[in-house]
Amino acid sequence: MLPLHRIVVPTPYAVGPVNAYLIASRPYTLVDPGPDTGEAREVLQKELNRLGVPLAEIERILLTHFHSDHSGLVQWINSLTGAKIYIHPFDLKKLSGKNDFIGERMPFVLEAGTPAEIIAEVLKDGDKLPRPFVPPGGAIIATDGTEIPFEGGSLKALHFPGHATGHLCFYDPAGKNLISGDFLLPRITPNPFLEPDPVHPNRRAPSLRHYLQGLDRLTSIDIKRVWPGHGEVIDDYRQVVAMVREHHQARFNALVDLLRKYGPCTAFELSRITYPDLKGFNIFLGLSEVQAHLDVLVEEGRVEVEKKDGVAYYFL
């Protein structure tokens, strides 16, 4: 069983603090060090010192996914320690400095019927922190099944897409511990983020379908405790899985009810009815949530879709 320590790192985001994890067995390893802020750097260093493993001794960083509240400090730590960064190839591309985050998603945002003024509002509310970056030569590719050895055991990387196409969880079979990143959280359901399919970039990634399939896989693994990206450690993870399934089923039914009431609608229109108070970048997150559910409903034949002038309309 690997010695695992949770470090609560502050973030400037509405989600609140993020959990970084120290695996205090050689080679000393950090999972998801946190956002690139002065406060996060200070807290992380202070907590590592308290745990007896100063930052200078960190040799590896494992990333569950690319979002900046989890990955922001990787470049800084790599520059100080030379720590290698384990990451799935789908998310490494997003942290290479070469991808066009906005351009890749814009066709899907336009197809959803999003007005130009709303797009401008979302873009104006961009991330105020530096974009996370993995320096050339700093990454080691981890995919589903990759073994990560330690003196006292090993972790296995498990690919659980849905919140991000390259999302990884890390499983300790000896301790039956799962570091879940944002795949499973104690009090909220992760956003099925709107992004291109890495295999077919002209298509949307089937985020929610992948996520629901991942829940099926998760319940087949012998897990004692789940160590999430946000919030407290989860002792009864099956109860959380059941809650998540219930949430998604309620969202499917609510969207069908809206289409029954209003007739054909775009994904954007449905997202504004569902989440009328969202502002700025959160509008994009609301759109992601609704679009992902619509994609599953279309797959299941519960909802139909027709395009007109490049905009998709959904109806029963």
Side-chain angles (χ1 to χ4, degrees):
M1 177 176 173
L2 294 171
L4 183 59
H5 303 277
R6 182 169 71 103
I7 300 173
V8 180
V9 180
T11 83
Y13 304 116
V15 71
V18 67
N19 293 329
Y21 292 101
L22 169 68
I23 301 162
S25 180
R26 296 272 184 188
Y28 294 136
T29 299
L30 268 179
V31 182
D32 287 359
D36 189 6
T37 68
E39 185 182 14
R41 295 184 186 194
E42 182 180 343
V43 168
L44 183 64
Q45 291 183 95
K46 179 181 178 181
E47 289 300 296
L48 287 173
N49 289 336
R50 182 182 65 81
L51 293 166
V53 182
L55 184 64
E57 295 190 26
I58 296 298
E59 299 172 75
R60 296 188 300 206
I61 304 168
L62 311 183
L63 285 183
T64 61
H65 62 298
F66 77 101
H67 294 160
S68 57
D69 54 335
H70 295 258
S71 67
L73 287 176
V74 293
Q75 184 181 7
W76 175 65
I77 296 173
N78 172 269
S79 70
L80 293 176
T81 70
K84 291 295 185 179
I85 301 157
Y86 284 66
I87 185 172
H88 193 278
F90 292 166
D91 276 21
L92 175 59
K93 179 184 176 183
K94 302 165 196 171
L95 299 182
S96 67
K98 298 177 182 178
N99 74 308
D100 182 357
F101 181 92
I102 296 169
E104 288 178 346
R105 289 157 179 79
M106 191 60 70
F108 311 132
V109 171
L110 294 173
E111 184 183 290
T114 311
E117 64 271 18
I118 297 296
I119 293 174
E121 179 183 342
V122 172
L123 294 178
K124 187 177 179 181
D125 189 33
D127 197 340
K128 305 302 187 293
L129 298 183
R131 180 175 292 187
F133 177 68
V134 172
I140 293 178
I141 293 298
T143 56
D144 193 69
T146 296
E147 294 280 349
I148 303 167
F150 292 81
E151 285 186 359
S154 68
L155 287 178
K156 179 179 284 189
L158 301 174
H159 185 210
F160 277 94
H163 181 58
T165 54
H167 193 292
L168 293 171
C169 298
F170 299 99
Y171 179 60
D172 172 11
K176 300 180 182 179
N177 288 310
L178 180 80
I179 302 173
S180 67
D182 281 359
F183 187 81
L184 196 69
L185 301 169
R187 290 184 296 276
I188 59 174
T189 56
N191 186 272
F193 210 63
L194 179 62
E195 40 181 340
D197 187 322
V199 179
H200 304 286
N202 292 328
R203 306 179 195 168
R204 281 189 302 275
S207 301
L208 187 54
R209 174 162 57 82
H210 283 166
Y211 183 78
L212 295 174
Q213 290 170 344
L215 292 178
D216 292 338
R217 181 187 184 192
L218 194 67
T219 54
S220 72
I221 301 172
D222 187 7
I223 298 170
K224 181 179 180 181
R225 303 187 88 191
V226 171
W227 303 71
H230 304 274
E232 299 297 323
V233 175
I234 302 168
D235 289 314
D236 185 357
Y237 85 99
R238 292 178 185 273
Q239 182 179 356
V240 176
V241 169
M243 177 272 293
V244 171
R245 290 189 188 282
E246 185 177 337
H247 161 82
H248 287 299
Q249 192 57 54
R251 180 56 52 216
F252 290 135
N253 293 338
L255 287 171
V256 170
D257 288 344
L258 288 176
L259 290 174
R260 185 174 293 116
K261 178 179 179 180
Y262 292 105
C265 291
T266 67
F268 174 77
E269 289 168 341
L270 290 167
S271 72
R272 297 310 276 165
I273 296 169
T274 306
Y275 307 110
D277 299 325
L278 294 182
K279 305 293 183 184
F281 186 74
N282 286 331
I283 296 173
F284 173 78
L285 297 180
L287 177 62
S288 292
E289 183 84 13
V290 167
Q291 183 67 74
H293 284 84
L294 288 170
D295 286 345
V296 173
L297 287 169
V298 170
E299 276 189 16
E300 293 179 349
R302 295 178 63 187
V303 166
E304 296 186 60
V305 60
E306 185 176 277
K307 288 186 183 180
K308 182 179 180 181
D309 297 327
V311 176
Y313 292 86
Y314 297 85
F315 56 96
L316 300 181

